[in-house]
Amino acid sequence: MVKRSHNHMRKKLRRQATIIVSLGLVIVVSLFVLVGVLIFQLVSNRVDSTRQSNEHTSAQGQSSETNQELTTAVSQTGPIISESTLSIETSSDSDGPVQTSEMDTVQPPENLMPTLPAIIDGPDLNGYLVVIDPGHQMYPDSKQEPLSPTMSGSKDRVSAGTKGVSTQRPEYEVNLEIALLLKVYLEELGCEVYLTRTENDVNISNIERAEFAESYSPDAYLRLHCNGSMDSSVTGISVFVADFGKHKSSLCGWADTLGQSIAQTTGSNYIGCRASSLYSGLNWATDIPSFLLEMGYMTNKKEDELLSDPAYQLKICAGIADFVATMPKNAAR
Ligand SMILES: [Zn+2]
């Protein structure tokens, strides 16, 4: 009896031991799973917080741009091109740090290019070469670069542009949209076209853009911009050129043809040409015919909406095409 009860006890103890070991294993496995889950959450939280801080930095960049836009708007006045109007583009005449060598390879992928209506009516531009600079970029760059090869002073590499009073679109975005359309438009007429940028999130300074343009010896270097004013009734097209350099005596005559051609195709008014030494992007491109074209005012509700209207954009392109056909071909090419 005693032996059997011992056996019984031993079996009972063995069973209890088995249960305890099994429970222990379950607990250990559960702990492993728990620790794994905790580590995963920790890692993903860290990734999220990094992402949020990046977004915050971007948002700060945008708010400082808005401030600059405000300054830009304050510095502008009426429809007559005056020194105060000039200061708009003085502050918005810079860009950021992409290397020139990098820019040489930048051409837009075909799927990003806008499509044209079936028939384009315009002059034969075979043999012409144009470089287009869509003004500004997503984030301004206040680092300085020399204003001119012949004068002292410096300017922001890239400043903020203006903003649409109705569309709320930033100028850099509208400039690029029209530039891409203009590239396709001019190419359709036989022209060879190069862009200084094909994306908004770049950092290319005005001097780098100018050097890029000069490297092609184009028949025209067109810097596309939109204007802004404190007076919301102001509308119209204006053109800025350098006040020195190889083409000094011809620049405003060519600029008038450019402005008047666009006024003719769009129905907008041409304000005039202004020669100035305040634009680094023009001062560093005086070996070629360089023009800073203000296509219209984004501070005027109607003109702001027109500048984003595909039909109106085509009319701007048509005017520019007419102008290119009047330019002498660059003998240096
Ligand atoms: Zn601008």
Side-chain angles (χ1 to χ4, degrees), residues 185-211:
Y185 196 102
L186 295 178
E187 282 176 347
E188 185 70 17
L189 297 171
C191 189
E192 196 175 340
V193 182
Y194 298 93
L195 297 183
T196 57
R197 69 177 177 97
T198 57
E199 290 171 6
N200 288 316
D201 192 4
V202 296
N203 197 350
I204 312 171
S205 84
N206 280 331
I207 293 181
E208 287 165 346
R209 295 177 195 220
E211 286 172 346

Side-chain angles (χ1 to χ4, degrees), residues 89 92 136 161 171 175 225-226 294:
E89 284 305 332
S92 56
H136 310 286
E171 184 196 338
N175 292 340
H225 284 257
C226 300
E294 297 283 4

Side-chain angles (χ1 to χ4, degrees), residues 84-109:
S84 58
T85 313
L86 276 174
S87 64
I88 310 156
E89 284 305 332
T90 298
S91 70
S92 56
D93 201 8
S94 313
D95 278 305
V98 165
Q99 300 299 313
T100 309
S101 56
E102 217 174 294
M103 291 172 58
D104 290 343
T105 61
V106 174
Q107 284 303 316

Side-chain angles (χ1 to χ4, degrees), residues 289-305:
S290 302
F291 309 91
L292 193 159
L293 169 65
E294 297 283 4
M295 300 177 286
Y297 281 80
M298 293 183 84
T299 41
N300 175 269
K301 185 177 180 295
K302 192 179 166 207
E303 208 157 66
D304 172 36
E305 288 164 4

